[in-house]
Amino acid sequence: MTRKLEVVATGALALVEDLGRPGLAATGVGRSGAADRGALRLANRLVANPEGAAGIEVVFGGLAVRAHGLLTVALSGAPAPADVDGTPVGHHALVTLHPGQVLRLGVPPTGLRTYLAVRGGIAVDPVLGSRSTDILSGLGPEKLTPGTMLPIGTEPDALPLIDVAPVALPTGDEVVLRAVAGPRAEFFTDVGALARTSWTASSRSDRVGMRLEGDPLERADSGELPSEGIIRGSVQVPPGGEPVLFLADHPVTGGYPVAAVVLDADVDRAAQVRPGQHVRFVLVPPPWQENP
Amino acid sequence: MKVLPCGDSGLLVEVDGLPEVLALADAVRAAPPAGVLDVVSAARTVLLCVEPGTDLTEVRRAVLDLDVGAGAGLSDGERVEIEVVYDGPDLEEVGELTGLGADGVVAAHTGTPWRAAFGGFAPGFAYLVGGDPRLEVPRRQVSRTSVPPGSVGLAGEFSGVYPRSSPGGWQLIGRTHAELWNIDRGALLQPGCTVEFKAVR
């Protein structure tokens, strides 16, 4: 019998995501992929999948899925309380779903995005080499809706090695993100103000970017900047002065100056920031030398 | 050539202008430094995105050591003809801005072949350069929240065709039924290709 995962409920938003589509930015296709890549990788490692297998990214819990066939799954990221047919199951742990059983996620007390990996991976058809949904460009699978049947791939030869991974959970306190002053830091009177302000994540945040509210950054140079390439983690500042921290589905190019770029490892933590949560930047030196 | 910081997973290389951008991007693609995943050209910059953990000091050195052909520019690419109905909402205004009148704009837009310089903005969108310099117009003061797919626009030194409905601030002079993007083939207009616009109806 073909193994499948039936979507019973989705919560606010549930998407299929893997590690995205690198190498296509020159034709306007961004990388996309899991917003918290580390969490997806961990969930995949727990079920002994390749790290880049497709899983489900759930915003604010609320997902419910029914197993068709015997499935081994693991949850990671935001610690949404979970149960199988009413019996609580662990986070960062192996969970077995027998045919017909339903796994339900509640609302996570901290963090924003929970990942569900299934041993064998979600096997929807890839688009341009990836099963990720890119909400900006509209590429990849449709967002999940109740009734969707997700095919599950063949189980890998490797077997799970551990039952539980003891890793830190996303914090509910102020999130500190390390950033390097950006390529256009000189467009601002004082880029250090970015690090002195306690920013608040706006409810208008999504996978494209986290919008921040706080004391606007002041522009030193109001000149126009020709559009240029944007990298995940870029802190772009539109004319209003309130930054946007670009996440997984960021545009390939942008026309507003980038004041700072968050370190790659910290972008995953940024993806777990909830609306209303506080964010602080710490400026660190660039990780390369002028004259090695 | 100036290398600007972009966190720990990229470098933004700034050069003098478009010919230098195209030459640099060609040189990077011909001999990509270890760890480079993506090369994003724009009007004056080339962004290199690298695999996490890549030594950016090495990538930076490799870029500065590249033999960038002086203004080698665009390699000769495929020729693509795009049929356009010139009835865009900004055609009259572009006619006034340029002093060419609506008919003059159509003649200028179809009279000189364009070249696809680089992508960005949306899947399948290509920034076209090398057209009639009299068509250089500023972006609209207020951008539209929704531009219909197939819209043919002008902005600065560029022309372009919107592959799908999106917000946009370009001056719209016409529309086409050409399929600029599909997921099996990718982009119709690849960097380097020659684009000729043809007025229909």
Side-chain angles (χ1 to χ4, degrees):
Chain A
M1 172 180 133
T2 321
R3 299 176 321 138
K4 289 193 170 77
L5 198 58
E6 177 188 350
V7 177
V8 177
T10 60
L13 179 67
L15 304 171
V16 175
E17 296 290 342
D18 57 18
L19 294 178
R21 325 183 156 77
L24 299 171
T27 55
V29 176
R31 174 146 188 182
S32 187
D36 181 347
R37 298 154 295 177
L40 176 67
R41 285 194 175 102
L42 174 62
N44 275 327
R45 284 204 303 276
L46 279 164
V47 297
N49 279 345
E51 286 191 337
I56 301 178
E57 178 179 289
V58 189
V59 174
F60 264 128
L63 180 78
V65 287
R66 179 177 291 120
H68 290 248
L70 182 66
L71 301 177
T72 304
V73 304
L75 295 164
S76 66
D83 68 72
V84 175
D85 287 349
T87 305
V89 294
H91 197 68
H92 292 157
L94 286 175
V95 176
T96 301
L97 299 180
H98 293 279
Q101 284 192 318
V102 175
L103 170 73
R104 273 180 204 280
L105 305 190
V107 175
T110 60
L112 184 61
R113 296 181 164 97
T114 304
Y115 291 83
L116 171 70
V118 184
R119 191 164 149 75
I122 307 281
V124 296
D125 288 337
V127 172
L128 297 169
S130 163
R131 297 180 166 94
S132 288
T133 301
D134 181 337
I135 59 165
L136 185 73
S137 67
L139 292 176
E142 296 288 315
K143 70 175 185 181
L144 298 183
T145 51
T148 306
M149 282 286 192
L150 295 170
I152 304 302
T154 308
E155 298 204 346
D157 290 337
L159 292 170
L161 294 175
I162 52 169
D163 293 333
V164 175
V167 302
L169 297 172
T171 175
D173 300 333
E174 183 175 73
V175 171
V176 178
L177 304 173
R178 294 167 297 166
V180 177
R184 303 300 172 190
E186 80 276 14
F187 272 59
F188 302 90
T189 52
D190 174 17
V191 81
L194 184 72
R196 289 194 303 275
T197 304
S198 181
W199 301 97
T200 306
S202 152
S203 57
R204 292 175 302 132
S205 302
D206 58 15
R207 283 174 47 86
V208 174
M210 173 164 56
R211 291 168 185 277
L212 297 168
E213 293 168 349
D215 258 354
L217 282 191
E218 206 177 301
R219 280 280 289 269
D221 182 340
S222 61
E224 278 228 13
L225 180 71
S227 286
E228 56 192 24
I230 298 256
I231 202 161
R232 188 191 286 220
S234 293
V235 179
Q236 193 195 59
V237 184
E242 291 187 320
V244 180
L245 199 181
F246 280 127
L247 300 176
D249 292 354
H250 67 84
V252 171
T253 56
Y256 299 127
V258 169
V261 181
V262 173
L263 297 189
D264 191 68
D266 289 13
V267 180
D268 281 0
R269 292 196 293 115
Q272 292 293 358
V273 172
R274 302 154 77 116
Q277 205 170 344
H278 295 291
V279 173
R280 191 176 286 278
F281 295 100
V282 175
L283 291 176
V284 298
W288 46 271
Q289 297 167 345
E290 293 269 342
N291 300 298
Chain B
M1 193 152 78
K2 202 159 114 189
V3 182
L4 303 167
C6 246
D8 61 347
S9 51
L11 292 173
L12 187 68
V13 188
E14 187 172 55
V15 293
D16 290 338
L18 197 52
E20 291 81 3
V21 164
L22 300 172
L24 174 62
D26 277 353
V28 171
R29 290 200 182 97
V36 171
L37 287 177
D38 251 312
V39 180
V40 187
S41 305
R44 278 214 287 280
T45 55
V46 177
L47 172 69
L48 308 182
C49 306
V50 304
E51 193 92 59
T54 301
D55 181 351
L56 283 175
T57 305
E58 282 301 316
V59 175
R60 183 175 178 277
R61 182 172 18 216
V63 168
L64 291 171
D65 285 351
L66 278 176
D67 184 15
V68 179
L74 291 167
S75 47
D76 273 335
E78 201 191 335
R79 186 185 153 280
V80 180
E81 186 178 274
I82 294 183
E83 294 189 341
V84 179
V85 180
Y86 285 93
D87 61 357
D90 302 323
L91 182 63
E92 291 295 331
E93 193 183 330
V94 172
E96 281 166 33
L97 281 167
T98 57
L100 294 171
D103 290 347
V105 169
V106 176
H109 198 247
T110 53
T112 311
W114 298 76
R115 308 294 295 275
F118 52 85
F121 179 62
F125 187 87
Y127 288 81
L128 307 178
V129 299
D132 192 316
R134 292 176 300 167
L135 290 176
E136 212 168 303
V137 286
R139 281 178 170 71
R140 285 169 51 80
Q141 287 287 318
V142 179
S143 89
R144 290 186 170 88
T145 53
S146 177
V147 171
S151 296
V152 178
L154 294 169
E157 65 188 297
F158 303 110
S159 187
V161 186
Y162 286 80
R164 62 192 195 107
S165 176
S166 64
W170 290 36
Q171 309 269 10
L172 306 182
I173 58 173
R175 60 197 158 90
T176 177
H177 294 298
E179 190 185 31
L180 287 142
W181 172 261
N182 77 45
I183 56 168
D184 300 320
R185 180 204 57 200
L188 172 66
L189 306 180
Q190 297 284 344
C193 76
T194 300
V195 181
E196 288 173 29
F197 290 103
K198 189 180 158 202
V200 292
R201 267 208 296 148

